[in-house]
Amino acid sequence: LGNIGGICTTQRKYLEGLKYENECLSIMKKLKDQTGMAVSHLNIATGYQMLSNIDSAEVHYQKSFKLFIETNHISGLIAAYGSYAEFFLKFKNYKNSIKYARLTMQMAVSLNDLVMEKQVQHILFKAYDSMNDSRNALKHFKRWSELQDTIMKMASRKEITAKEYAFRYQQKT
């Protein structure tokens, strides 16, 4: 149900997505699956964010944080904090956007999560740019660009290595 809710959200059918996400949350509660509940709350928060229902989004973000912390689910917490930083950016609360983006970045860097760090650098760039803080905006844009290049190079290396292995395997058979 959570996946269907996500598809609905991607298709901008937010109310329908919320229906599925709430059903998923209900099932997770019955199963006493705290991580599943945390993910459901995060997805519900995103749906409400898209509908500009700030209060409901805030409630579900807070519930997701609490559950991710209780279960020590660090990657889920990183995703939730990153989403919260985007939430604040969308509603032009740049101070809190920067606060949660920095928190997310610290956690992402500690786990060497380059993809999340890249996303957070972009949030920081947009927040500082919106505040007309050119120096910090440029700093985060440059880091975002470096990470983009690094991630692309890593993907290219993986693709080349996979092709080399496939070629070697074909030669042996």
Side-chain angles (χ1 to χ4, degrees):
L1 293 173
N3 289 337
I4 295 170
I7 290 168
C8 291
T9 299
T10 301
Q11 295 174 343
R12 299 178 187 212
K13 298 176 184 175
Y14 305 123
L15 291 175
E16 189 177 349
L18 282 169
K19 180 184 125 209
Y20 286 110
E21 294 296 352
N22 277 299
E23 287 179 35
C24 183
L25 176 59
S26 179
I27 292 168
M28 294 300 149
K29 285 179 179 178
K30 286 177 186 171
L31 295 172
K32 297 180 181 170
D33 180 346
Q34 287 190 300
T35 300
M37 290 165 46
V39 170
S40 292
H41 280 296
L42 180 56
N43 291 340
I44 291 168
T46 301
Y48 281 126
Q49 175 183 332
M50 296 303 173
L51 292 169
S52 297
N53 186 331
I54 296 170
D55 293 337
S56 294
E58 286 259 15
V59 166
H60 288 281
Y61 273 120
Q62 294 304 322
K63 288 180 180 182
S64 74
F65 299 157
K66 184 177 183 282
L67 289 164
F68 281 131
I69 290 167
E70 286 175 4
T71 58
N72 199 32
H73 195 289
I74 303 303
S75 61
L77 189 59
I78 291 171
Y81 283 161
S83 182
Y84 205 40
E86 286 184 273
F87 167 78
F88 284 119
L89 181 66
K90 177 180 179 179
F91 295 106
K92 300 179 184 355
N93 184 335
Y94 304 121
K95 183 178 176 183
N96 278 328
S97 179
I98 291 167
K99 174 184 170 183
Y100 280 92
R102 285 182 178 160
L103 180 59
T104 306
M105 186 165 50
Q106 287 174 339
M107 296 170 77
V109 168
S110 74
L111 294 178
N112 199 30
D113 185 340
L114 299 180
V115 173
M116 182 54 80
E117 184 187 351
K118 181 188 87 160
Q119 291 172 345
V120 172
Q121 290 292 349
H122 196 252
I123 292 168
L124 288 166
F125 157 69
K126 291 197 300 189
Y128 282 116
D129 188 50
S130 296
M131 295 169 55
N132 295 317
D133 183 341
S134 303
R135 185 179 63 80
N136 278 314
L138 180 60
K139 177 177 103 175
H140 291 289
F141 180 79
K142 284 181 178 179
R143 181 65 182 144
W144 173 84
S145 183
E146 289 169 4
L147 288 164
Q148 178 77 2
D149 290 345
T150 300
I151 292 166
M152 297 277 283
K153 286 177 187 173
M154 289 170 59
S156 293
R157 277 190 223 129
K158 285 181 183 177
E159 186 178 333
I160 290 168
T161 302
K163 287 180 180 180
E164 286 175 353
Y165 282 125
F167 178 74
R168 288 180 190 161
Y169 178 77
Q170 286 177 347
Q171 284 184 327
K172 289 181 181 179
T173 56

